[in-house]
């Protein structure tokens, strides 16, 4: 939608019943502090929300924006000849699971360490955390400037699922064809070694994933350049919009761009 001016945020907080009182107080306060830091970075503030007692730790929120209709980028105007751009690498689900296995020293790590070193596991997790904690505010702003033809975020359905939802909504009869994919380093080669996450097939879920955006060719190049030059953030050309029947295709010879 390209809305980067957030009016307010409502926070939901799950306070863990499984922690002792001292740990619960420390962790909860740190979570609230970190959440507020991200909200401040977005240029808005938390005005309310809900706190609940929960077996597990949880935090999240709802961002509320007010905008003129002219400021909203509708998601369904991709055209034949457009370029698909992705603003974050995929692989967060594998990186986070791998780190949990390593920290727990469980049977999954006993298998995983045959294929990946401790250092590479830690590096992958740090890369995942860096991108998960990065806001999409700058990308949303530049979507407006470079007149995006449509976009979606990449989260629980994986890049394939969200791409299919987006292409299914298009007014024009087009397909999305993916030829390249930025992936957290080592995650593509590690996939299927312990659990088949189907990462390169596009099914692996992402947390706080990037934006998949359709631009015309000149706008795509301008968007990527300005995002890098002005905000020190990378984005990658990952595919093409072609005439079709609102389907998604992943090329068998997919170019893997390790990040």
């Amino acid at each position: 939608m390209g809305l980067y001016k957030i009016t307010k945020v409502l926070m939901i907080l799950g306070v863990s019943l499984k922690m002792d009182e001292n740990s619960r107080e420390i962790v909860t306060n740190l979570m609230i502090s970190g959440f507020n830091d991200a909200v401040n970075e977005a240029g808005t503030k938390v005005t309310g929300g809900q706190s609940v007692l929960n077996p597990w730790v949880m935090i999240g929120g709802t961002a509320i924006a007010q905008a003129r209709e002219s400021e909203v980028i509708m998601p369904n105007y991709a055209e034949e000849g457009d370029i698909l751009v992705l603003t974050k690498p995929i692989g967060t689900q594998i990186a986070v699971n791998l780190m949990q296995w390593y920290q727990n020293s469980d049977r999954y790590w006993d298998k995983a360490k045959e294929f990946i070193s401790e250092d590479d596991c830690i590096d992958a997790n740090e890369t995942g955390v860096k991108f998960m904690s990065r806001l999409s505010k700058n990308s949303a702003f530049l979507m407006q400037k470079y007149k995006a033809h449509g976009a979606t975020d990449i989260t629980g359905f994986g890049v394939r699922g969200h791409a299919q939802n987006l292409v299914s909504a298009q007014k024009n009869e087009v397909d999305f064809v993916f030829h390249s994919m930025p992936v957290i380093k080592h995650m593509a080669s590690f996939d299927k070694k312990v659990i088949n996450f189907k990462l390169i097939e596009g099914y692996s879920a992402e947390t706080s994933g990037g934006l998949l955006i359709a631009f015309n060719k000149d706008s795509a190049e301008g968007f990527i350049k300005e995002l890098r030059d002005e905000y020190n953030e990378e984005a990658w050309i990952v595919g093409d919009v072609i005439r079709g029947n609102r389907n998604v295709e992943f090329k068998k010879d997919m170019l893997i761009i390790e990040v």
Side-chain angles (χ1 to χ4, degrees):
M1 292 295 186
L3 298 179
Y4 59 92
K5 296 178 181 178
I6 307 302
T7 306
K8 61 182 178 180
V9 172
L10 302 178
M11 181 178 68
I12 182 168
L13 176 68
V15 180
S16 176
L17 292 169
K18 292 188 175 182
M19 290 182 174
D20 63 75
E21 185 174 350
N22 184 56
S23 297
R24 184 163 56 239
E25 182 176 356
I26 293 171
V27 169
T28 301
N29 285 335
L30 286 172
M31 287 171 57
I32 293 172
S33 176
F35 189 90
N36 279 320
D37 287 345
V39 169
N40 290 336
E41 184 182 347
T44 186
K45 58 185 177 181
V46 177
T47 61
Q50 181 182 15
S51 298
V52 296
L53 295 175
N54 215 40
W56 54 87
V57 175
M58 176 181 68
I59 194 164
T62 299
I64 300 170
Q66 294 176 319
R68 297 181 178 88
E69 185 175 353
S70 60
E71 296 175 309
V72 178
I73 297 175
M74 299 307 294
N76 53 353
Y77 286 93
E79 301 175 352
E80 181 183 1
D82 278 356
I83 301 295
L84 298 173
V85 172
L86 186 62
T87 63
K88 295 183 185 182
I90 64 172
T92 57
Q93 183 182 39
I94 301 178
V96 169
N97 275 270
L98 187 57
M99 189 64 181
Q100 289 178 334
W101 300 342
Y102 166 65
Q103 290 176 326
N104 294 334
S105 297
D106 60 19
R107 61 187 178 90
Y108 292 110
W109 177 248
D110 289 340
K111 181 69 174 176
K113 66 185 180 182
E114 298 176 18
F115 306 101
I116 191 167
S117 68
E118 293 182 10
D119 287 344
D120 289 343
C121 167
I122 293 169
D123 287 346
N125 182 71
E126 289 179 349
T127 299
V129 169
K130 179 184 76 172
F131 282 104
M132 286 188 287
S133 60
R134 193 182 83 186
L135 300 179
S136 292
K137 179 182 179 181
N138 297 327
S139 296
F141 169 69
L142 292 179
M143 279 173 60
Q144 297 277 354
K145 179 174 180 177
Y146 289 96
K147 302 186 185 306
H149 292 163
T152 182
D153 63 334
I154 306 300
T155 50
F157 295 129
V159 65
R160 181 186 290 268
H162 288 286
Q164 185 61 63
N165 287 341
L166 184 61
V167 77
S168 296
Q170 296 308 305
K171 292 182 178 292
N172 295 315
E173 294 182 347
V174 294
D175 286 350
F176 289 174
V177 180
F178 289 84
H179 54 65
S180 306
M181 194 62 61
V183 183
I184 295 172
K185 192 174 182 180
H186 302 300
M187 297 302 94
S189 58
F190 178 77
D191 190 24
K192 302 180 178 63
K193 294 295 193 296
V194 179
I195 294 176
N196 186 1
F197 291 94
K198 297 184 178 181
L199 177 66
I200 302 307
E201 295 90 336
Y203 293 106
S204 185
E206 301 296 326
T207 297
S208 187
L211 300 179
L212 177 67
I213 314 170
F215 292 105
N216 67 42
K217 186 176 185 298
D218 290 341
S219 292
E221 293 173 351
F223 172 90
I224 291 171
K225 184 179 187 302
E226 186 164 351
L227 190 66
R228 179 181 61 247
D229 293 347
E230 295 297 323
Y231 302 107
N232 196 31
E233 296 178 11
E234 292 293 327
W236 298 266
I237 292 175
V238 295
D240 300 296
V241 179
I242 66 172
R243 185 182 299 275
N245 298 297
R246 301 184 179 90
N247 295 315
V248 170
E249 177 187 352
F250 276 50
K251 290 288 191 181
K252 292 182 179 179
D253 57 347
M254 179 81 71
L255 173 64
I256 304 303
I257 306 165
E258 288 201 320
V259 179

